Amino acid sequence: MKARVTLCLVLMFALSGGTFLWAQNAPEISSDYATEGRPGFVYVESTETLPWRGLVIPGMPGGMMAKNMSRDETRGGVALLNYLPIRWHHDERGYHNSDEEIFLLEGDLTIGDQQLTKYSYTFIPEGVVHGPVSTRQGAVFVRWFNKTPDFIVSQSDKTGARAYAGVRDWNYYKTPWDSINFPAYRKGPPIPGIKLKLLRNDPDTGEMTWISFSSGGRRNGSLWEVHPTFEEYFLLELSDERVVGECLPEGPVGLDYKARGYWWRPAGVGHLGPLSTSSGYSLSLVRTGGALWADYFTDCSYRQPVDLSAIKH
C-alpha cells in the first residue's frame, strides 16, 4: 500500500509541474539534448485509464482526440496518444513549426504518398511540407511534437528545413532485428533476451527512436543503470505486468506497468536495479535525446560504479 501511495504522489507531482531534485551524487549530464523535457519523472501505469479530450492544433481541422501523456512546459512539446475518426481528412499541404513523429497503433493513415498501417512510423522535421492527411478506417497513433504544435499552409518547405533528416515508410514487420549495429554504447557484453529495431537516428542531434523487445527476467542483476539522456517508453505489448525500479528522490521504488503504459525519465536517474521484474515479454517504443551509453551502480547513491566490461556472461 505504501508503494502505491508513493507512485500516486510521483505522478501527481510530475503532472502538476513540480521539479524533482535528483541525488547530489548523480552523474553530470553532458548531452545538450538530455534536458529536453518534462517537469519531472512522469509515470502512467496504463494510458487506457487516461481520458480522451478534444485536440485543437491551429491550422488543422477539428475532430481529433488525444490523451496527453506528458508535456514540455518550456517549449510546448507533447507526447500524445492521438485518435482520428473514420474518414477524417485534412486536405491542405503545409508544415509544422516543430518536429513531428508518428507511430501508428491501429487503423490506417495516409500522409501525402505515404500509406501507414499498423506499427508504421514517420518522422517529419520542422518546416518540411507534407499532406494531405486522411484516414479511411480511423487511426490511433503515438504522436510527438518537440514544440507547440501548429500547421502553416504552404507549398514549399520553410527556410532551413532539414528534409534530409526525415524518415518515411518505416514498418515494424518489414524491418529486421539488429542489435549489433545499433548506435548505443553499453559497457559490457550484450544483454541476453534484448532485440532492437532502429526507427530514427538524427544526423544532427543524435536523438533516437527505436523498438525494444525484452523476454522475461531481470536485466544486469541488481545493478542500477544511469544514462546521460532522457529516456521515454511507450509499452506497445506486454504479456504480463512489468515492474521497473526507479531511483526517485524519496528512495528506490518499483513502478508497475501494464500494456500501453508510459514513462518519461530525465537524464541521470538510476533505474532497473533489484526492484525490476518481468515474467513475460515486452515490446516497447523508445525515444532518447542521444546515444544510449550507460553507467552502472550498486545502489541509488551512485557512489559505487561497476564496470560491466569485466563481467563475463
Side-chain angles (χ1 to χ4, degrees):
M1 178 62 71
K2 181 179 179 181
R4 286 285 182 180
V5 172
T6 299
L7 304 189
C8 292
L9 290 174
V10 169
L11 177 58
M12 291 171 60
F13 189 67
L15 295 180
S16 68
T19 301
F20 285 138
L21 298 178
W22 307 105
Q24 293 181 352
N25 295 307
E28 181 180 354
I29 299 171
S30 59
S31 168
D32 290 339
Y33 292 88
T35 55
E36 178 199 323
R38 297 356 186 200
F41 184 90
V42 179
Y43 161 68
V44 181
E45 183 179 53
S46 174
T47 53
E48 298 294 332
T49 63
L50 296 178
W52 289 106
R53 302 185 186 281
L55 174 63
V56 177
I57 296 180
M60 297 189 70
M64 296 183 289
M65 303 290 288
K67 297 184 178 188
N68 188 356
M69 297 186 293
S70 67
R71 176 178 170 81
D72 179 344
E73 298 295 339
T74 301
R75 299 191 299 179
V78 287
L80 303 171
L81 193 59
N82 213 156
Y83 165 71
L84 301 180
I86 295 172
R87 300 193 183 282
W88 185 94
H89 59 94
H90 181 198
D91 298 329
E92 300 282 3
R93 282 174 53 80
Y95 62 80
H96 303 293
N97 284 303
S98 65
D99 293 340
E100 179 184 24
E101 290 184 76
I102 289 175
F103 187 90
L104 190 67
L105 301 176
E106 303 170 22
D108 67 275
L109 188 64
T110 299
I111 305 175
D113 60 353
Q114 290 192 81
Q115 303 287 331
L116 303 184
T117 55
K118 182 177 179 179
Y119 288 7
S120 291
Y121 169 85
T122 188
F123 172 72
I124 305 170
E126 175 180 347
V128 172
V129 167
H130 56 284
V133 180
S134 64
T135 177
R136 293 183 297 107
Q137 304 174 48
V140 177
F141 50 98
V142 182
R143 190 180 200 179
W144 288 280
F145 292 98
N146 69 339
K147 299 177 186 176
T148 302
D150 62 1
F151 185 83
I152 309 300
V153 175
S154 177
Q155 295 301 314
S156 59
D157 291 351
K158 178 181 175 181
T159 301
R162 302 183 310 130
Y164 59 85
V167 177
R168 291 173 45 89
D169 302 317
W170 189 98
N171 185 274
Y172 171 85
Y173 299 103
K174 298 177 181 179
T175 305
W177 295 105
D178 183 6
S179 301
I180 297 176
N181 299 310
F182 192 78
Y185 172 65
R186 294 183 181 274
K187 297 178 180 179
I191 302 171
I194 302 294
K195 297 193 295 185
L196 306 166
K197 294 188 181 188
L198 183 66
L199 284 69
R200 178 173 81 100
N201 182 19
D202 194 284
D204 299 320
T205 68
E207 295 169 316
M208 296 195 304
T209 305
W210 76 90
I211 298 288
S212 174
F213 173 86
S214 176
S215 57
R218 296 177 179 175
R219 297 173 55 194
N220 303 323
S222 61
L223 299 181
W224 296 93
E225 184 171 293
V226 178
H227 304 299
T229 169
F230 73 82
E231 196 173 19
E232 183 175 21
Y233 269 72
F234 181 87
L235 294 172
L236 298 168
E237 300 176 16
L238 196 62
S239 63
D240 200 352
E241 287 193 7
R242 178 178 178 182
V243 177
V244 179
E246 302 286 351
C247 290
L248 299 182
E250 61 270 37
V253 297
L255 304 184
D256 297 328
Y257 290 94
K258 298 177 181 178
R260 296 198 174 179
Y262 168 87
W263 72 84
W264 167 280
R265 180 188 300 116
V269 177
H271 51 283
L272 299 179
L275 299 179
S276 293
T277 59
S278 176
S279 58
Y281 80 89
S282 63
L283 189 69
S284 305
L285 181 62
V286 190
R287 291 179 72 243
T288 65
L292 198 69
W293 60 264
D295 286 319
Y296 298 92
F297 298 85
T298 58
D299 58 48
C300 280
S301 70
Y302 309 133
R303 291 191 178 95
Q304 299 184 50
V306 175
D307 183 2
L308 287 190
S309 63
I311 299 176
K312 295 182 180 179
H313 285 194

